[in-house]
Amino acid sequence: MLKQNILIFPNPDDLARAAAKKIVAMSENTVLQGRIFSLALAGGDTPQTLYRLLAQPPYVNQLPWSQMHFFWGDERCVSPDDPESNYGQARRTILVKELVPEGNVHRIRGEMEPIKAAQDYAVQLRTFAEESLAWPRIDLVLLGMGADGHTASLFPNQISAEKWDSPTLAVTANYQGRPANRVTLTPLVFNSAHHIIFLVTGKSKAKALAAVLGNTYDPKRWPVQRIHPSRGSVMWMVDEDAASQLSGDIN
Ligand code: 6PG
């Protein structure tokens, strides 16, 4: 694999603080250039500390909220008030009501039938389409990784390359008892982003992380390897537990 940009932190809290600072810097920079800052959120437990931090001082006072637009890398097909909804989680953490205009929140409608929800999101993305694409080049995509090497809802041995003529996809996958019906952005969208940051913590991810960042390219087995933006950057922010099986020559 290409040499990766990997930052290793002693613990998840330090990682979340560093990620918060990065998001402040990136969003300030983008807004200073006269553009809106688009941010795609990840689901799962790992980013929740970061989301809560961003909604608290000092970060809450540093972010250009009114010029931030929120998207999602994937959604579980449940209603928005279900505890398992990625949008619902963000509502309870990062999306401070009085700061984020409703029109800046572009959620995947998990309450719809999955194929319809995927189509609906493709239409929403088209509204922000840039260049010759049918979707926006998102400024920053936050992604997690499962212990099986999935990211967003791109699961092992599941997505066939020929399906990626669409920016969104309805998928079914069982993982840790979480809702199986999901809608995900596809690599078409991820790989046209400006920046991707993976947030990965915990010993349970160590084996997958070592494989994903190792020398063997096997994206069917490790779907996270499909993420390599053509004109964007990728950064891995991981804690020492997740990094514990990385070989010395990776970083
Ligand atoms: C989801 C995700 C998914 C998640 C990983 C990691 O909605 O489930 O977006 O890809 O990021 O499963 O989840 P954890 O952070 O909980 O380990």
Side-chain angles (χ1 to χ4, degrees):
M1 279 214 84
L2 292 173
K3 213 170 161 59
Q4 303 270 348
N5 190 0
I6 306 167
L7 300 179
I8 302 174
F9 297 88
N11 55 62
D13 286 342
D14 286 353
L15 185 158
R17 269 191 295 276
K21 286 183 190 150
K22 272 197 189 308
I23 293 172
V24 167
M26 280 182 180
S27 57
E28 274 178 346
N29 198 21
T30 306
V31 166
L32 276 176
Q33 292 168 30
R35 298 196 292 115
I36 61 156
F37 181 70
S38 49
L39 175 62
L41 300 178
D45 298 332
T46 311
Q48 302 307 319
T49 313
L50 166 65
Y51 296 165
R52 274 190 290 271
L53 267 187
L54 290 172
Q56 290 166 22
Y59 311 106
V60 71
N61 304 316
Q62 296 167 347
L63 287 164
W65 293 101
S66 62
Q67 286 154 89
M68 293 172 74
H69 280 247
F70 293 85
F71 295 86
W72 274 262
D74 73 329
E75 182 58 280
R76 295 98 178 257
C77 290
V78 292
S79 81
D81 50 10
D82 188 294
E84 294 283 358
S85 159
N86 288 341
Y87 163 77
Q89 282 190 326
R91 259 292 159 227
R92 293 186 289 278
T93 53
I94 185 174
L95 296 178
V96 184
K97 264 234 148 32
E98 55 282 12
L99 293 177
V100 184
E102 271 314 298
N104 292 15
V105 179
H106 313 288
R107 71 177 181 92
I108 301 172
R109 297 196 170 95
E111 68 276 29
M112 291 170 88
E113 189 272 317
I115 291 178
K116 290 230 161 60
Q119 288 165 347
D120 173 81
Y121 209 50
V123 171
Q124 292 193 56
L125 291 175
R126 191 177 275 280
T127 325
F128 293 87
E130 279 175 80
E131 301 171 359
S132 56
L133 307 171
W135 53 85
R137 288 192 67 206
I138 295 174
D139 289 298
L140 174 60
V141 178
L142 297 175
L143 287 171
M145 185 186 75
D148 61 355
H150 79 260
T151 191
S153 291
L154 304 170
F155 283 85
N157 304 316
Q158 208 180 30
I159 316 280
S160 54
E162 61 274 19
K163 287 199 172 156
W164 292 339
D165 50 1
S166 160
T168 59
L169 201 62
V171 302
T172 305
N174 290 301
Y175 181 75
Q176 294 188 343
R178 292 175 176 174
N181 292 327
R182 293 156 172 259
V183 171
T184 188
L185 301 188
T186 66
L188 290 177
V189 183
F190 294 133
N191 289 337
S192 51
H194 290 275
H195 302 285
I196 306 259
I197 297 182
F198 284 101
L199 305 165
V200 184
T201 62
K203 274 241 173 330
S204 68
K205 312 274 178 76
K207 191 170 160 232
L209 191 66
V212 161
L213 298 176
N215 291 323
T216 310
Y217 183 67
D218 183 3
K220 249 188 139 173
R221 172 66 193 90
W222 306 108
V224 72
Q225 291 184 327
R226 298 200 190 276
I227 310 303
H228 37 70
S230 45
R231 288 187 286 152
S233 71
V234 177
M235 177 177 286
W236 288 84
M237 299 183 80
V238 308
D239 72 350
E240 282 177 1
D241 281 345
S244 57
Q245 292 188 35
L246 293 183
S247 69
D249 60 354
I250 274 180
N251 201 359

